[in-house]
Amino acid sequence: MAPQPFTIAIDGPAAAGKGTLSRAVAEHFGFAHLDTGLLYRAVGAKVLLGMEPQTAAETLSPSDLENDGLRSPEVAQSASRIAVIPSVRAALLDFQRSFARRAGGAVLDGRDIGTVICPQAEAKLFVTASAEVRAMRRYKELSAHGATDSYEKVLADVKERDARDRDRSTAPLKPADDAVVIDTSDMSIDAAVAAAIEVVKARRSG
Ligand code: DC
């Protein structure tokens, strides 16, 4: 018999450590992992090249996700801008929902997984940290890759994206009522991973 679906929803603002945490949790439980931000980034990148947002979302293909340029700050802002458009979000819904319910378990990280994509997820986490801590982490990551943006610019970008992601009317960034909040401001990544694994274990045995 195929293993039952089990969905772990991991939401939170930009640069909160969702990606690292989600990959570690998925590996621990042997689950598949989907970084849903990458879908919005891939649409954002196509829009920067001149495509209309809804068409870009409707014609998205797996090869669009294999693009190193998707990690750039320009693409992140474009992703956040197109993410406010309801028809773009609708075009990406089915893919995310079927990924979430695949046999064997899935971890999805994003902004609206526990609230909109998968309200029935068996485990929900909301991973956050102060804007300053998130900006410093992102600044170090970008600098390590040779970017020259100042810390102040990265902080302004993080705050701008937070405001847009939080204040949009369709699927705004917010913790689901039944999500466990993990604030990683003063936590090592190992401690955050351990905390997340405990939450999931409790839901699996519950
Ligand atoms: O997680 P990320 O930084 O790669 O996401 C980029 C943008 O995509 C983010 O600012 C808002 C949007 N997004 C979204 O609206 N819903 C999701 N589930 C994931 C990302």
Side-chain angles (χ1 to χ4, degrees):
M1 201 175 71
Q4 289 299 309
F6 188 101
T7 310
I8 305 174
I10 303 188
D11 291 305
K18 296 187 303 289
T20 313
L21 195 77
S22 303
R23 278 189 296 277
V25 169
E27 193 174 330
H28 180 89
F29 292 102
F31 286 8
H33 170 230
L34 178 65
D35 169 2
T36 65
L38 215 52
L39 305 176
Y40 291 89
R41 284 172 184 261
V43 174
K46 287 177 148 200
V47 169
L48 287 178
L49 294 174
M51 202 181 267
E52 193 272 320
Q54 186 177 342
T55 311
E58 285 170 353
T59 58
L60 205 63
S61 73
S63 62
D64 293 326
L65 306 180
E66 291 158 19
N67 170 356
D68 288 344
L70 298 183
R71 291 283 155 214
S72 77
E74 293 72 28
V75 170
Q77 287 293 352
S78 177
S80 167
R81 283 194 299 270
I82 57 88
V84 308
I85 305 170
S87 60
V88 166
R89 306 198 70 83
L92 302 177
L93 197 70
D94 285 351
F95 174 71
Q96 296 177 81
R97 283 202 175 139
S98 34
F99 191 98
R101 299 317 284 166
R102 64 197 276 150
V107 179
L108 283 83
D109 74 88
R111 303 290 187 288
D112 62 338
I113 309 302
T115 50
V116 174
I117 302 297
C118 220
Q120 80 281 29
E122 282 78 6
K124 296 182 188 177
L125 295 166
F126 191 85
V127 183
T128 188
S130 72
E132 288 72 19
V133 166
R134 289 185 285 121
M136 184 49 78
R137 289 182 191 153
R138 184 52 57 89
Y139 169 70
K140 286 183 179 161
E141 193 181 300
L142 289 170
S143 304
H145 286 89
T148 54
D149 286 358
S150 66
Y151 166 73
E152 287 71 24
K153 160 93 171 59
V154 177
L155 178 61
D157 268 8
V158 161
K159 287 185 171 171
E160 185 183 338
R161 213 138 65 86
D162 279 359
R164 205 186 291 115
D165 294 349
R166 215 177 264 144
D167 296 342
R168 66 182 178 221
S169 49
T170 308
L173 168 69
K174 64 168 184 209
D177 291 340
D178 51 349
V180 175
V181 178
I182 299 182
D183 187 326
T184 67
S185 301
D186 299 313
M187 244 185 193
S188 69
I189 183 65
D190 288 349
V193 169
I197 288 174
E198 283 314 308
V199 170
V200 177
K201 274 189 184 160
R203 297 292 156 95
R204 288 193 98 190
S205 56

